[in-house]
Amino acid sequence: MSSTGKPTPILGSERKPVRGARLIHNSHPDQTIEISVRVRSKAESKREEFKAALAQPGFRHMSRVEYENTHGADPADFDQIRKFAQEHGLKVIETGTDLARRTVKLSGTVANLQKAFHVELKEYSHPKGNFRGRTGTLSVPAPYADIITGVFGLDNRPQAEPHFRRLQQAPGIKAHAATASHDPNEVAQIYDYPKGDGTGQCIGIIELGGGFQLDDISNYFSSLNLTPPQVISVSVDGGTNSPTTPDSADGEVMLDIEVAGAIAPAAKIVVYFAPNTDQGFLDAITTAVHDSTNQPSVISISWGSAESNWTPQALTNFDQAFQSAAAMGVTVCAASGDNGSTDGVNDGNNHVDFPASSPFVLACGGTTLQAANQQIVNETVWNNLPNGGSTGGGVSNVFPLPTWQQGFDVPAPTVTGGGRGVPDVAGDADPNTGYNILVDGETAVFGGTSAVAPLWAGLMARLNQQIGKPVGYLNPQIYAQAVESAGFHDITDGNNGAFSAAVGWDPCTGLGSPDGAALETAITQPPQQQAAASARAGGSRKTA
């Protein structure tokens, strides 16, 4: 195999121009860039069979070693990428340890990378920051194109946004004065979370900016009379724990840590910091999923953007990373977005947020929660549009309707091949009924579906602790009728723009907000035992 022969496009590598970006000049040919090359699984020919097996009840979780041996990259394919690199003057900077991640890291000059992948790299200015970009497809000789499933890092445009909303207070009112706000552990009590503190669990959190201060963590948990959780940071692709100001992405980082940590304070929390690019995002996810040192059983993601903002190769490789998580018993919770049914895309159409739209992710939508005496008084769809945000939700234009979502009145997709309904579950996200958070020494109230992902991650940590093993891929389990009737508060009032709440699943709040103890019973007991338990309890459950 060599670089001779007609260039063959890498499937799904097409990049579109960024709206609002202005060309500055060509990238300097001597500039050095690091990229991530993803290669096929050694079991790629059985991909559809693998996906179907993951959705079956009783799927046996694999160990990380077993997964690598069965579904990791073939070492021979890594050898071919090394050969490709040598032929084009590129340097292999990570080898031998990433077979499970199926990732080879390469570095090279712009000039050599342009020749290797038949692409032109240019510098652009944009209101959200300057970036290096490309358009069109990437190409390599046909034998290499068969091996490569994605190339990330040539283009470093900002890929995602954090899905948090900070409550804006009137002048002269202290930030903590919102009377309807809650501490995260209080929200867990309102939702009747099962007892536990997350002992023995690890929660992974993906962050594409911002940072945390240890003093804030110590002070915050002391104010809740909780022992602070162990929080450690992992650097991915040069991303670091870099706190700055309360109005930065620090708000996202602290919201995630403090919500998950208040619910599962004995769990270890590992924060994976990466640059806000598709390369950084994907590398952070694969690093977390395959982290054999910390072994997170739950991963929380509060960043994303509309499906239309992603390349097909990114959608495919992210989704495959989430399949890996499902196979190894790792639950992935992702925020469904804060811009209603359009997901912030101004083209007159409805859109859903990715990565929440992956069928192997627990997509987390938002509600407005009114409570008193640790009981739900009223709960509706979170919608403060036009300016205050609203839960994302709708139908994927990329991923088909999963088997476990059939029969749940998911609207028809607008694009052939789509159909997956978003979200799956919900929780308090309205900043007006939001979470008391400490960030960079400042107390504030935060909401957004960003809060719901760690809210559910904390619940999963408690469930894993109580059950004694990872629950893992939750979606097929919660869409079983017995679980739907037992584990959720059905939200039937409100809309997110184009879609309205309804009895059962809907494209605003999914199956509903959690009834934690009932959900634990539902996923651990056979249906006949659930029915008996319900009869003993009088057949009642909380409703919104």
Side-chain angles (χ1 to χ4, degrees):
M1 186 186 301
S2 73
S3 60
T4 60
K6 183 178 179 181
T8 300
I10 297 173
L11 292 178
S13 63
E14 306 86 24
R15 265 293 195 189
K16 299 177 182 178
V18 177
R19 184 176 300 178
R22 181 179 63 84
L23 174 64
I24 303 175
H25 52 69
N26 292 339
S27 298
H28 194 285
D30 294 333
Q31 179 186 357
T32 299
I33 297 171
E34 293 185 2
I35 65 171
S36 299
V37 179
R38 284 266 292 181
V39 306
R40 63 192 174 187
S41 162
K42 63 177 66 175
E44 199 64 56
S45 63
K46 298 181 179 179
R47 173 70 59 183
E48 293 306 314
E49 179 183 331
F50 175 53
K51 289 163 61 176
L54 292 174
Q56 296 301 312
F59 177 84
R60 184 184 66 81
H61 297 152
M62 300 179 179
S63 69
R64 284 175 167 80
V65 172
E66 183 182 3
Y67 181 87
E68 177 178 327
N69 291 338
T70 308
H71 294 277
D74 189 326
D77 284 347
F78 268 30
D79 289 341
Q80 293 302 327
I81 299 303
R82 294 186 188 101
K83 183 178 179 182
F84 172 82
Q86 183 178 27
E87 291 172 349
H88 292 88
L90 308 178
K91 181 180 178 182
V92 179
I93 56 177
E94 287 185 26
T95 62
T97 59
D98 290 310
L99 290 172
R101 295 177 58 220
R102 297 168 29 216
T103 302
V104 181
K105 300 293 289 295
L106 305 178
S107 69
T109 64
V110 164
N112 286 345
L113 287 165
Q114 288 183 145
K115 291 178 182 178
F117 294 101
H118 298 270
V119 65
E120 292 185 352
L121 303 179
K122 302 177 183 294
E123 305 297 323
Y124 295 87
S125 65
H126 190 270
K128 294 185 178 181
N130 295 355
F131 65 91
R132 179 181 63 252
R134 66 174 180 86
T135 57
T137 60
L138 304 175
S139 297
V140 292
Y144 294 121
D146 290 339
I147 293 173
I148 296 171
T149 64
V151 177
F152 302 92
L154 294 170
D155 184 306
N156 67 353
R157 68 186 71 181
Q159 184 61 57
E161 295 182 354
H163 294 319
F164 73 92
R165 298 277 175 150
R166 180 173 178 172
L167 181 65
Q168 300 300 313
Q169 298 293 334
I173 299 178
K174 293 182 179 180
H176 197 59
T179 57
S181 63
H182 309 279
D183 294 330
N185 49 336
E186 293 176 344
V187 178
Q189 292 176 326
I190 293 167
Y191 285 140
D192 196 23
Y193 276 22
K195 293 181 179 180
D197 57 10
T199 295
Q201 303 302 309
C202 175
I203 299 174
I205 297 177
I206 306 297
E207 300 293 0
L208 306 180
F212 63 85
Q213 298 185 29
L214 292 176
D215 283 349
D216 277 348
I217 293 174
S218 177
N219 293 335
Y220 181 78
F221 288 96
S222 293
S223 74
L224 301 181
N225 295 316
L226 295 172
T227 300
Q230 179 188 8
V231 182
I232 62 175
S233 61
V234 172
S235 175
V236 179
D237 295 348
T240 59
N241 176 25
S242 304
T244 53
T245 66
D247 293 323
S248 70
D250 294 2
E252 179 61 74
V253 175
M254 297 308 293
L255 178 66
D256 293 340
I257 292 172
E258 291 172 356
V259 170
I263 295 168
K268 178 166 64 173
I269 296 178
V270 181
V271 188
Y272 301 85
F273 287 101
N276 184 10
T277 63
D278 60 356
Q279 177 192 23
F281 204 167
L282 177 60
D283 284 348
I285 291 169
T286 59
T287 297
V289 169
H290 297 286
D291 185 346
S292 58
T293 299
N294 297 298
Q295 300 187 30
S297 59
V298 189
I299 294 173
S300 179
I301 303 174
S302 294
W303 299 69
S305 63
E307 288 180 330
S308 58
N309 294 331
W310 299 80
T311 60
Q313 69 171 2
L315 293 163
T316 296
N317 281 276
F318 275 67
D319 185 56
Q320 290 183 3
F322 299 136
Q323 292 169 33
S324 303
M328 294 183 290
V330 180
T331 309
V332 181
C333 307
S336 70
D338 295 350
N339 291 294
S341 56
T342 68
D343 204 31
V345 181
N346 299 317
D347 63 358
N349 298 317
N350 295 319
H351 296 266
V352 293
D353 208 75
F354 184 81
S357 65
S358 165
F360 296 93
V361 164
L362 185 70
C364 301
T367 69
T368 297
L369 173 67
Q370 297 175 336
N373 300 319
Q374 299 181 3
Q375 296 290 321
I376 297 174
V377 174
N378 189 41
E379 192 167 19
T380 60
V381 176
W382 169 46
N383 187 345
N384 297 334
L385 292 175
N387 300 317
S390 174
T391 181
V395 183
S396 172
N397 286 332
V398 175
F399 300 100
L401 183 72
T403 55
W404 37 261
Q405 220 172 27
Q406 293 175 3
F408 281 86
D409 295 326
V410 179
T414 56
V415 175
T416 301
R420 188 270 205 266
V422 176
D424 300 301
V425 298
D428 183 26
D430 188 338
N432 292 295
T433 62
Y435 302 77
N436 303 318
I437 297 298
L438 180 64
V439 51
D440 296 324
E442 185 173 303
T443 301
V445 177
F446 280 79
T449 55
S450 275
V452 188
L455 179 76
W456 271 87
L459 172 58
M460 297 310 301
R462 285 198 188 183
L463 290 174
N464 289 345
Q465 177 190 5
Q466 293 297 327
I467 295 170
K469 61 181 181 180
V471 174
Y473 183 30
L474 189 63
N475 298 27
Q477 301 179 59
I478 61 174
Y479 280 91
Q481 286 292 341
V483 176
E484 180 201 359
S485 65
F488 295 90
H489 308 289
D490 194 5
I491 313 301
T492 59
D493 184 22
N495 67 80
N496 69 344
F499 302 104
S500 296
V503 174
W505 183 91
D506 60 65
C508 301
T509 57
L511 296 170
S513 63
D515 188 347
L519 182 61
E520 179 188 12
T521 299
I523 63 178
T524 57
Q525 293 185 3
Q528 61 270 24
Q529 292 184 16
Q530 295 173 32
S534 178
R536 288 194 299 271
S540 63
R541 68 185 182 98
K542 299 178 186 177
T543 58

